[in-house]
Amino acid sequence: MPTNMKIKKIWKWLLAQIFRIFLFLSSHFISLNLVSFLSPYFPLIYSVISRKRAAVTMIQRITRLAQSLPLRPSSASKLGAYCYFASGAASSTQQLCKPSLKSPNVRDDEYADVEWDNLGFGIVPTDYIYIMKCSKDDNFEEGQLCRYGNIELSPAAGVLSYGQGVYEGTKVYRKEDGRLLLFRPDENAIRMRIGAERMCMPSPSIHQFVDAVKQIAQANRRWVPPPGKGSLYIRPVLIGSGPTLGLAPAPEYTFFIYASPVQNYFKEGFAPLNLYVEDEYDRASLGGTGGVKSITNYAPVLKAMSRAKNRGFLDVLYLDSVNRKNVEEVSSCNVFIVKGNVISTPPAAGTILAGITRKTVIEIAGDHGYKVEERSIPVDEIMDADEVFCTGTAVGVAPVGTITYQNKRKEFKTGIDTVCPVLYSTLMGIKTGMIEDKKGWVVEI
Ligand code: COI
């Protein structure tokens, strides 16, 4: 055989072997979807492969196609690398959402088309959501970024009839230099685990939670408002998604995260809140779920809230359900009172949500030289306070202008020389990277 022919034959054989190895790797590391996608083209591919130039082009094209498919991540926090699930519970995640086919490589200086000056606290759909599933008695394994969209649920999902669910809220801020900052996300992870235990649900590990929050923030980074214009609110949710007819823990659980750019929680902006003390409806009871971020804590306050709104108030301050004597919290945030140099807040001992902003403000206030007390606060005492303010992830640190209790209205000090703006600016300074974080609270993404 002439040498030329021999070289051609070796070359042909070599390409065929490369292609076989490629297909083998594809089926193992990418997914069987690629193989089934390519199978109708096998004869064509094989014939083309005998022509080296065309073969090389073909291989390049296939490689590009493979790169656009979800891959097993080499590092869980690395963007642009996604996995298909191997386990039964996990693979059904794919029915919940469309896996991302495009790598979310967003330039650091790229912004979404949003009117940043008109942000409130409403849903603005972003690019990606994160989803992770596991069955009862199992552990969460690997999650996945998906394009933002509706998720599919069984009509018998435990969460729908029996309210098996907890959620979290945290915010991402953009620094002047473009870096993205999270605030104490491990605290959210811990709180979700405590809440999940109370609601009989498995929950993501702290590492999985924080990693997922970082992924969703990074994937949606063009939705993080410019410095000073707000933040990207991140909402991790854990639900009993498996079907159950009788009252029992669901057979399957879904952890998902979505995000939305936000600014002020109340549409009144930074204006002091006017609160109504509710003495008919309770928010939480001893032995209930008031102390965890269960989804079941929120619908029951809507009635009291809408009644207060109809009477011209912004929100409701709830009392303890035993004696209706001590203040507990507001529908969406914790409450603090200031009298002289003492700042007091009701203890998070079962009926009051252990707010992360609450915990942080207690520490910041101590650092500023205030005496901070966690103790029961009779409603009569709050009416005698110098200053009242609320704390929460969504709300921030917000001054209370008035409280109305049994037709008595009390006005509180607000404005520049009060405690609230001092605590607010310290907290915001740390969260946004303007004030040095000496406590290890800020996590850069
Ligand atoms: C938050 O502050 O993040 C909350 O989850 C409260 C919610 C009512 C907006």
Side-chain angles (χ1 to χ4, degrees):
M1 198 190 288
T3 331
N4 231 3
M5 289 272 286
K6 261 191 204 160
I7 291 173
K8 252 190 182 164
K9 221 172 161 191
I10 291 169
W11 182 232
K12 205 168 147 186
W13 179 85
L14 209 63
L15 282 174
Q17 297 314 309
I18 290 170
F19 191 62
R20 278 173 65 188
I21 291 167
F22 176 74
L23 285 182
F24 172 78
L25 290 176
S26 301
S27 62
H28 275 69
F29 293 111
I30 300 170
S31 91
L32 287 170
N33 290 6
L34 178 62
V35 178
S36 56
F37 170 77
L38 289 174
S39 56
Y41 306 107
F42 279 173
L44 172 73
I45 290 165
Y46 205 82
S47 75
V48 169
I49 242 156
S50 56
R51 274 175 259 143
K52 56 187 177 201
R53 205 167 255 272
V56 169
T57 316
M58 175 66 78
I59 286 171
Q60 280 171 346
R61 275 202 197 132
I62 293 169
T63 309
R64 272 204 298 274
L65 174 69
Q67 279 167 348
S68 74
L69 282 168
L71 294 167
R72 188 167 293 279
S74 52
S75 141
S77 63
K78 222 172 173 180
L79 272 174
Y82 309 101
C83 67
Y84 271 80
F85 293 98
S87 80
S91 64
S92 60
T93 299
Q94 287 172 271
Q95 294 155 16
L96 272 171
C97 71
K98 269 198 212 114
S100 161
L101 288 180
K102 197 177 135 252
S103 167
N105 283 328
V106 181
R107 280 197 340 262
D108 281 3
D109 58 349
E110 190 179 333
Y111 278 106
D113 185 17
V114 173
E115 283 184 43
W116 301 112
D117 290 319
N118 292 334
L119 281 177
F121 197 90
I123 276 292
V124 177
T126 60
D127 295 329
Y128 293 93
I129 58 174
Y130 179 93
I131 295 215
M132 179 160 69
K133 286 186 80 161
C134 86
S135 56
K136 187 169 152 285
D137 311 321
D138 213 348
N139 291 320
F140 282 95
E141 281 181 8
E142 275 179 288
Q144 169 179 54
L145 285 170
C146 301
R147 295 301 297 190
Y148 189 102
N150 293 346
I151 60 171
E152 221 169 75
L153 271 185
S154 160
V159 65
L160 298 179
S161 290
Y162 301 128
Q164 208 186 8
V166 289
Y167 79 87
E168 281 300 323
T170 188
K171 284 174 170 172
V172 183
Y173 290 89
R174 191 190 292 269
K175 257 186 104 171
E176 291 290 347
D177 63 8
R179 282 186 286 168
L180 302 185
L181 305 179
L182 273 167
F183 189 72
R184 309 187 82 174
D186 51 327
E187 290 287 340
N188 294 92
I190 293 166
R191 192 168 63 178
M192 175 168 273
R193 283 183 73 76
I194 294 169
E197 200 277 325
R198 175 67 180 83
M199 303 295 279
C200 268
M201 298 191 283
S203 54
S205 69
I206 295 170
H207 171 76
Q208 284 174 321
F209 182 102
V210 174
D211 182 61
V213 167
K214 285 181 181 172
Q215 285 196 50
I216 204 74
Q218 187 67 270
N220 291 304
R221 66 174 297 134
R222 65 195 192 97
W223 300 89
V224 182
K229 302 280 180 190
S231 59
L232 184 68
Y233 184 80
I234 308 251
R235 173 58 64 85
V237 187
L238 174 65
I239 56 169
S241 49
T244 172
L245 193 55
L247 179 56
E252 194 175 73
Y253 294 86
T254 302
F255 170 70
F256 59 92
I257 312 182
Y258 59 91
S260 182
V262 298
Q263 178 55 284
N264 293 321
Y265 182 69
F266 293 109
K267 67 175 185 317
E268 288 72 8
F270 292 107
L273 319 178
N274 61 337
L275 303 178
Y276 176 78
V277 179
E278 175 60 56
D279 56 4
E280 185 185 353
Y281 297 119
D282 299 321
R283 178 191 169 271
S285 60
L286 280 175
T289 59
V292 296
K293 221 162 164 52
S294 156
I295 61 170
T296 55
N297 292 340
Y298 293 85
V301 302
L302 297 177
K303 178 104 176 167
M305 274 176 73
S306 68
R307 201 167 64 167
K309 281 192 175 154
N310 289 339
R311 292 173 180 167
F313 299 97
L314 196 63
D315 211 327
V316 173
L317 176 60
Y318 298 89
L319 300 178
D320 75 277
S321 65
V322 178
N323 301 311
R324 301 229 168 93
K325 175 174 164 282
N326 295 326
V327 295
E328 296 234 308
E329 65 181 88
V330 178
S331 313
S332 54
C333 46
N334 296 116
V335 69
F336 285 74
I337 68 167
V338 183
K339 187 82 182 173
N341 191 45
V342 182
I343 299 182
S344 311
T345 191
T351 54
I352 288 163
L353 184 75
I356 295 160
T357 312
R358 174 187 177 278
K359 183 175 175 175
T360 306
V361 160
I362 287 174
E363 204 168 324
I364 292 176
D367 293 347
H368 277 279
Y370 293 99
K371 181 165 187 273
V372 186
E373 296 176 343
E374 289 179 77
R375 60 171 176 89
S376 298
I377 301 174
V379 62
D380 293 333
E381 188 183 333
I382 206 172
M383 299 302 277
D384 192 37
D386 298 337
E387 196 184 325
V388 178
F389 61 86
C390 292
T391 64
T393 301
V395 166
V397 184
V400 173
T402 70
I403 293 185
T404 301
Y405 173 54
Q406 293 181 338
N407 295 324
K408 261 203 314 210
R409 180 182 150 105
K410 164 83 193 215
E411 222 163 279
F412 300 98
K413 269 201 278 181
T414 56
I416 194 93
D417 40 303
T418 58
V419 176
C420 179
V422 174
L423 301 178
Y424 171 78
S425 54
T426 307
L427 176 70
M428 285 307 292
I430 298 172
K431 280 184 159 191
T432 57
M434 306 290 281
I435 294 179
E436 190 193 349
D437 166 31
K438 294 184 182 149
K439 317 249 188 194
W441 286 340
V442 173
V443 174
E444 195 183 313
I445 298 168

